[in-house]
């Protein structure tokens, strides 16, 4: 089993990282850090350049989270995925047999999350794995 965390360096994700580390440490399970971002388009040089830039950003963002987790003694795996965040997290949870998916929230209203498609909102409705939604500190 594992714990899957959606991480993008937002304030909610930073707080969720600490919660995910606690959960991973408590169960002695690895933390799978996921950065999901779907690149618009599908062909051509611009698409490839944009995809490569998104992947590099993801690797850079996750490097910080890996360092924090490893300082706490938690084993990590990293995935930079060319999918929308909710899809990437659901797929990672399935592939890694996740105990739960941990994600931060921005404190958006339920209506705004439903209209704009916020990742926590989508996960709560689509994931078959339990979702731990960590609010951003006030």
């Amino acid at each position: 089993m594992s714990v899957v965390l959606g991480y993008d360096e937002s304030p909610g994700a930073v707080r969720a990282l600490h919660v995910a580390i606690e959960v991973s440490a408590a169960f002695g399970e690895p933390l799978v850090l996921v950065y999901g971002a779907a690149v618009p388009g599908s062909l051509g040089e611009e698409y490839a350049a944009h995809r490569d830039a998104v992947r590099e950003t993801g690797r850079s963002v996750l490097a910080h989270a890996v360092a924090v987790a490893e300082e706490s003694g938690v084993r990590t795996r990293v995935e930079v995925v060319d999918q929308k965040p909710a899809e990437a997290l659901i797929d990672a949870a399935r592939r890694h047999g996740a105990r739960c998916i941990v994600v931060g929230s921005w404190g958006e209203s339920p209506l705004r999350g439903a209209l704009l498609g916020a990742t926590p909102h989508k996960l709560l409705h689509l994931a078959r794995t339990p979702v731990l939604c960590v609010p951003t500190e006030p």
Side-chain angles (χ1 to χ4, degrees), residues 39-48 51 82:
V39 180
S42 61
L43 298 171
E45 231 174 272
E46 286 181 19
Y47 168 78
R51 182 197 63 224
D82 188 14

Side-chain angles (χ1 to χ4, degrees), residues 38 40 47-48 77 108 114 125:
Y47 168 78
R77 295 179 190 150
E108 295 172 335
H125 292 282

Side-chain angles (χ1 to χ4, degrees), residues 66-81:
V66 167
V68 172
E70 290 181 350
E71 281 179 21
S72 300
V74 171
R75 294 172 294 140
T76 60
R77 295 179 190 150
V78 171
E79 293 193 7
V80 177
V81 184

Side-chain angles (χ1 to χ4, degrees), residues 9-125:
E9 282 189 320
S10 66
V14 170
R15 186 158 184 235
L17 170 63
H18 295 288
V19 171
I21 288 170
E22 288 177 26
V23 174
S24 291
F27 289 102
E29 295 174 348
L31 177 60
V32 180
L33 299 151
V34 178
Y35 182 90
V39 180
S42 61
L43 298 171
E45 231 174 272
E46 286 181 19
Y47 168 78
H50 190 68
R51 182 197 63 224
D52 292 345
V54 167
R55 287 181 180 167
E56 181 57 35
T57 299
R59 285 189 288 275
S60 174
V61 163
L62 293 178
H64 167 258
V66 167
V68 172
E70 290 181 350
E71 281 179 21
S72 300
V74 171
R75 294 172 294 140
T76 60
R77 295 179 190 150
V78 171
E79 293 193 7
V80 177
V81 184
D82 188 14
Q83 289 180 301
K84 292 179 181 178
E87 294 168 6
L89 292 167
I90 290 169
D91 284 349
R94 181 186 43 78
R95 283 185 284 103
H96 293 282
R99 176 177 300 278
C100 68
I101 299 170
V102 181
V103 66
S105 80
W106 283 84
E108 295 172 335
S109 72
L111 179 59
R112 181 171 181 185
L115 292 175
L116 300 180
T119 299
H121 186 266
K122 284 182 180 178
L123 288 171
L124 290 170
H125 292 282

